Amino acid sequence: MLRRFSSQSGNARIIVITTGGTIVQKFDKDLGGYVPKTSGKELIESISSEINLETIELIEFAMIDSRAVDLKFLYNLSKLVQQKIDDNFVDGIVIIHGTDTMEITAYFLHRTINSPKKPVVITGAMRVVTNSDYDGKANITNAIKQVSYPETVLHGHGVSINFAGKIHSPVNVHKEHSFAIDPFSSGSFGLIGMMHTSRIDWLNNPKKSLVIPLPDKLEKVISVPIIHAFPGACTDLLDGFIQNKYQALIVVAYGSGNVNNNMYYAIKKATEHGIRIVLVTNCKYGGVYAEYGGIGGNQSLRDLGVIMADDLNPYQAMVVATLVFHNEKLLDKNELSKYFSNKILD
């Protein structure tokens, strides 16, 4: 039985939000594949021997494969999480989610949730419940343990991913394997912590980023496509986005932020039509910065007014762009570039 001191009841009050994912999937003969079928109630009852269920409040938010995550899902989940975090009697939140887009949801919540001293832990599974190596039960149990431990308030508050006994920051985590039972990595940045039977070994403090206020209306969260630089890019590459009146694009450039000549002219045309271009690197580490001259060099892109997204990866830059460019709560539109970083910049 997990317990944590609480002045109200003596037990931690933990919200478990289920959204679907592999963890709830079973084989459907008619469809010939795995689909979400297991209810949130069944999931929670499966860990009754490990967890005091009296400490749990279940919210069945969605029943989807995480490939179906869209901006409406992210917006409404963020609003729900903030509402529950603001409840004085809630000690923390566990979100059960598919792994395909887990890191995107984690980062969206990381940038939009004000969670002082309260953990928001995301987990899921890589195996369906009928597999002999089903990992869902252990992952849910570990996530609830993480929320319940008093030390989490000091070391692991805010948003994190707890998977296969490892605790990752949304800033550093990446799903690097499509079917391994331990698919996530934080690379050379390292883990926040690791689970043990009776404790958590905390290894790093989670990195903080500027919180972006969630717009009042879903319509203010805009769709931002991601475009990769590639040999053979042509000058009309972005014309379709111009014609369809997109407001912003993420461009994944080479190295520290460079593209070929044709892609430079495509970007130039897009900026002349009012599209905001955000530049990120295709490299895992290092980020983008202006150092190379010539057409297509990162200095030439900076001179077009392209936003250099510092150390953000493409999905992270997309999350920030969806939130800032049409956000009525961000009054100084000249200061938006400061949000395109995982550092809190002065």
Side-chain angles (χ1 to χ4, degrees), residues 16 26 36 57 60 65-67 72 89 104 114-115 132 153 156 178 228 235 245 272 276 293 301 310-311 330:
V16 175
K26 294 178 180 178
E57 177 186 330
E60 297 187 282
D65 190 297
S66 72
R67 67 175 183 265
K72 181 179 180 181
F89 300 127
I104 298 175
N114 281 298
S115 180
S132 59
V153 170
S178 61
H228 283 255
T235 57
K245 301 187 184 305
E272 290 168 351
R276 304 296 296 269
L301 295 172
D310 194 34
D311 56 348
L330 303 179

Side-chain angles (χ1 to χ4, degrees), residues 19 61-62 64 69-78 97 105:
T19 69
F61 177 79
I64 61 171
V69 163
D70 58 14
L71 295 178
K72 181 179 180 181
F73 173 99
L74 293 170
Y75 181 84
N76 288 335
L77 180 61
S78 179
H97 194 289
T105 295

Side-chain angles (χ1 to χ4, degrees), residues 127-164:
R127 301 291 185 268
V128 296
V129 67
T130 52
N131 275 31
S132 59
D133 59 345
Y134 175 61
D135 54 329
K137 183 176 178 180
N139 286 341
I140 298 172
T141 301
N142 279 337
I144 293 174
K145 284 182 178 180
Q146 181 185 337
V147 170
S148 302
Y149 285 170
E151 294 83 3
T152 299
V153 170
L154 300 175
H155 300 284
H157 59 276
V159 181
S160 63
I161 288 177
N162 188 315
F163 211 97

Side-chain angles (χ1 to χ4, degrees), residues 310-322:
D310 194 34
D311 56 348
L312 302 190
N313 69 35
Y315 286 135
Q316 292 173 351
M318 179 271 295
V319 164
V320 175
T322 65

Side-chain angles (χ1 to χ4, degrees), residues 74-344:
L74 293 170
Y75 181 84
N76 288 335
L77 180 61
S78 179
K79 289 189 72 172
L80 172 63
V81 170
Q82 190 66 66
Q83 176 190 356
K84 294 299 180 182
I85 284 292
D86 291 341
D87 185 335
N88 290 332
F89 300 127
V90 170
D91 292 293
I93 293 175
V94 170
I95 300 171
I96 298 172
H97 194 289
T99 60
D100 278 359
T101 54
M102 185 181 288
E103 67 194 80
I104 298 175
T105 295
Y107 192 77
F108 191 97
L109 296 177
H110 170 71
R111 294 306 299 262
T112 57
I113 296 297
N114 281 298
S115 180
K117 303 302 180 185
K118 291 186 180 183
V120 178
V121 182
I122 307 178
T123 194
M126 286 296 292
R127 301 291 185 268
V128 296
V129 67
T130 52
N131 275 31
S132 59
D133 59 345
Y134 175 61
D135 54 329
K137 183 176 178 180
N139 286 341
I140 298 172
T141 301
N142 279 337
I144 293 174
K145 284 182 178 180
Q146 181 185 337
V147 170
S148 302
Y149 285 170
E151 294 83 3
T152 299
V153 170
L154 300 175
H155 300 284
H157 59 276
V159 181
S160 63
I161 288 177
N162 188 315
F163 211 97
K166 300 174 182 178
I167 305 173
H168 301 269
S169 163
V171 170
N172 302 326
V173 71
H174 175 64
K175 185 179 179 181
E176 65 176 13
H177 203 288
S178 61
F179 61 83
I181 204 161
D182 181 11
F184 292 103
S185 172
S186 289
S188 63
F189 298 109
L191 303 170
I192 298 175
M194 293 192 69
M195 304 297 299
H196 289 271
T197 303
S198 58
R199 71 180 193 277
I200 300 174
D201 281 350
W202 295 105
L203 307 172
N204 289 296
N205 287 325
K207 187 181 286 187
K208 303 295 190 296
S209 306
L210 281 176
V211 173
I212 303 169
L214 199 66
D216 287 332
K217 296 180 180 180
L218 173 61
E219 293 72 22
K220 301 290 186 179
V221 181
I222 63 172
S223 175
V224 181
I226 299 173
I227 312 298
H228 283 255
F230 63 96
C234 50
T235 57
D236 62 359
L237 177 68
L238 305 181
D239 286 4
F241 299 105
I242 295 170
Q243 293 164 11
N244 286 291
K245 301 187 184 305
Y246 276 86
Q247 298 180 50
L249 297 173
I250 309 300
V251 171
V252 185
Y254 305 126
S256 57
N258 307 293
V259 299
N260 62 30
N261 286 17
N262 282 348
M263 193 151 189
Y264 166 84
Y265 288 112
I267 290 170
K268 184 174 185 292
K269 187 191 297 187
T271 60
E272 290 168 351
H273 283 81
I275 296 180
R276 304 296 296 269
I277 303 294
V278 180
L279 196 71
V280 298
T281 177
N282 62 345
C283 300
K284 186 177 288 187
Y285 306 111
V288 292
Y289 47 95
E291 60 172 352
Y292 287 102
I295 298 300
N298 41 41
Q299 288 186 3
S300 70
L301 295 172
R302 178 200 58 192
D303 293 343
L304 291 178
V306 167
I307 292 176
M308 312 288 278
D310 194 34
D311 56 348
L312 302 190
N313 69 35
Y315 286 135
Q316 292 173 351
M318 179 271 295
V319 164
V320 175
T322 65
L323 290 165
V324 302
F325 285 134
H326 206 34
N327 192 331
E328 72 284 354
K329 295 181 180 179
L330 303 179
L331 299 179
D332 190 347
K333 301 304 180 184
N334 295 319
E335 293 294 322
L336 296 183
S337 60
K338 70 182 180 181
Y339 293 101
F340 287 92
S341 176
N342 281 320
K343 310 178 189 79
I344 295 182

